[in-house]
Amino acid sequence: MSKTPETASTQRFAGTSHGLSSSDRQMLGWLGVNMVVFGHVALFETPLWLTYAYNGLLYAIGVWIAFRSSAVRDIFVLGSVAGVLEVGVDAFLVSTGSLVYPDSLPMLVGSPLYMPLSWALVVTYFGYLGRRLSEEFGPLAATIGPSVAAMVLIGFFEYGAHFAGIWWYESAPLAMLGTVPAFIVVGEGLMFAALYWLVRLRRPLLGGVAFAAVISVSYVGTYVLFAALGG
């Protein structure tokens, strides 16, 4: 009896149930844990050290998922590299007076020490979303989907962080959207629209460096543009 060879696609989605692969379920579970712990920090008065502990826990979950899933591994490495390099543009945002962190936080350049971990998480979430959207619906969906999702989800994180006192914005060029500068929301939409095209290279170290550059250009570019428009 002949046996049909397994393709890479078949192997990747082995064990799917109702259209979800094991990697899909792990990613959704990881995001769910993130939402629960962030809700705890945002809704209740918690010590700042707990923010570090939660980010360490979430990153450890990501390491476990990446170890088990090749569909996640390269994106997680890309996000980890970009997260470390992102601290440079974070320092720029602090220097403008827009972004403010509590004085009691241990800092790396201009960012709390946990910030590279936080960026690794969100880059992995949206990078994986782009990859799955590409497989199901094509590159246009993989470009637009993470961009829109990032503006909504990261906007939610930004809003909650303000009230939790984790970070907040005191000034912004042109306009604020509630507690978040408009340039931040637009910049995040732009950067995550580019993410899929770096993920698809499957060169995570290079992709991480490139995405850190995209983050920097997006934030600095939108800040300068909005400052000129509001000037």
Side-chain angles (χ1 to χ4, degrees):
M1 179 182 295
S2 63
K3 181 179 179 181
T4 304
E6 284 189 330
T7 64
S9 177
T10 302
Q11 292 172 344
R12 185 181 304 125
F13 299 112
T16 58
S17 174
H18 304 293
L20 293 178
S21 71
S22 59
S23 295
D24 293 342
R25 293 192 295 273
Q26 290 168 4
M27 291 295 292
L28 287 171
W30 186 20
L31 178 59
V33 173
N34 195 333
M35 299 297 287
V36 168
V37 300
F38 183 78
H40 180 232
V41 171
L43 296 175
F44 300 93
E45 187 174 346
T46 59
L48 288 173
W49 66 261
L50 192 58
T51 301
Y52 286 87
Y54 277 153
N55 276 276
L57 170 65
L58 290 165
Y59 190 82
I61 294 172
V63 171
W64 179 78
I65 293 173
F67 180 78
R68 293 171 56 88
S69 173
S70 61
V72 177
R73 191 176 306 130
D74 63 316
I75 306 173
F76 185 71
V77 172
L78 185 156
S80 297
V81 172
V84 172
L85 298 178
E86 182 275 342
V87 298
V89 73
D90 223 34
F92 165 79
L93 296 175
V94 171
S95 72
T96 66
S98 292
L99 177 61
V100 179
Y101 291 112
D103 293 336
S104 58
L105 292 177
M107 304 295 282
L108 174 65
V109 187
S111 304
L113 284 175
Y114 67 79
M115 195 55 67
L117 305 184
S118 295
W119 271 96
L121 305 182
V122 296
V123 172
T124 307
Y125 297 153
F126 297 125
Y128 185 79
L129 174 62
R131 175 170 288 171
R132 292 293 284 117
L133 287 174
S134 174
E135 290 163 347
E136 296 292 335
F137 304 108
L140 181 60
T143 301
I144 296 174
S147 174
V148 173
M151 286 190 287
V152 173
L153 183 61
I154 299 180
F156 168 78
F157 286 153
E158 300 270 18
Y159 186 79
H162 173 89
F163 292 100
I166 305 172
W167 71 82
W168 60 90
Y169 296 93
E170 289 191 346
S171 64
L174 191 61
M176 294 283 288
L177 301 176
T179 61
V180 184
F183 85 90
I184 290 289
V185 177
V186 173
E188 287 165 355
L190 291 172
M191 69 181 70
F192 284 101
L195 180 57
Y196 162 71
W197 300 97
L198 298 175
V199 168
R200 74 193 297 266
L201 298 176
R202 296 186 181 273
R203 299 182 63 184
L205 296 180
L206 176 62
V209 173
F211 191 63
V214 170
I215 294 171
S216 298
V217 170
S218 298
Y219 276 149
V220 175
T222 53
Y223 180 88
V224 171
L225 174 62
F226 279 43
L229 292 175

